[in-house]
Amino acid sequence: MSTVIRIDPGPRMSEASVFGDRMYLSGMIPEDTSLDVTGQVKQALAEIDALLKKGGSDKTRILSAVIWLRDIGDFAAMNAVWDAWVVPGQTPARATVQAHLNDPKMKVEIMVVAAI
């Protein structure tokens, strides 16, 4: 039986969980919600990079991503940052939706599943 590994576990959730050869990240959010959507997306992606590294993976091994935007009008700005971050030919399956996020100043949340 495979072991479940929790990365940065807390009382409510872990930042990520690893089972077998898969890593499941919680929704990554920006630390500084005073930034515009470009800055917030950059921060969330940096958090993803750091967490993937902790789990023995990287962005070239992301299998799927879900992106929640407070305002779907930010889709083009988010995509500009995303497109500069992903590795050509290594892009994951992805969905982007508009959602009410828990902090009115938060513009983005990103969750990924990656292979290890």
Side-chain angles (χ1 to χ4, degrees), residues 33-85:
T33 57
S34 71
L35 297 172
D36 64 5
V37 71
T38 297
Q40 288 195 25
V41 172
K42 286 180 181 179
Q43 281 193 348
L45 294 175
E47 291 292 323
I48 289 170
D49 279 331
L51 203 48
L52 288 171
K53 185 175 182 179
K54 273 187 178 182
S57 191
D58 63 60
K59 64 185 170 187
T60 67
R61 303 196 43 88
I62 295 175
L63 302 171
S64 66
V66 177
I67 301 172
W68 293 274
L69 290 172
R70 175 164 293 284
D71 181 353
I72 203 68
D74 289 333
F75 188 70
M78 178 276 299
N79 270 333
V81 177
W82 177 269
D83 292 347
W85 178 75

Side-chain angles (χ1 to χ4, degrees), residues 3-116:
T3 302
V4 175
I5 299 168
R6 310 279 180 202
I7 298 174
D8 297 336
R12 179 171 292 144
M13 59 182 251
S14 295
E15 290 296 310
S17 299
V18 176
F19 182 75
D21 63 352
R22 299 285 190 276
M23 184 175 182
Y24 304 85
L25 276 64
S26 294
M28 295 293 108
I29 58 175
E31 287 190 26
D32 183 354
T33 57
S34 71
L35 297 172
D36 64 5
V37 71
T38 297
Q40 288 195 25
V41 172
K42 286 180 181 179
Q43 281 193 348
L45 294 175
E47 291 292 323
I48 289 170
D49 279 331
L51 203 48
L52 288 171
K53 185 175 182 179
K54 273 187 178 182
S57 191
D58 63 60
K59 64 185 170 187
T60 67
R61 303 196 43 88
I62 295 175
L63 302 171
S64 66
V66 177
I67 301 172
W68 293 274
L69 290 172
R70 175 164 293 284
D71 181 353
I72 203 68
D74 289 333
F75 188 70
M78 178 276 299
N79 270 333
V81 177
W82 177 269
D83 292 347
W85 178 75
V86 293
V87 177
Q90 302 296 317
T91 53
R94 191 189 95 175
T96 305
V97 297
Q98 180 171 306
H100 286 288
L101 301 172
N102 69 339
D103 177 341
K105 296 179 280 182
M106 192 182 331
K107 299 181 183 311
V108 66
E109 183 169 351
I110 305 171
M111 183 174 71
V112 304
V113 174
I116 296 179

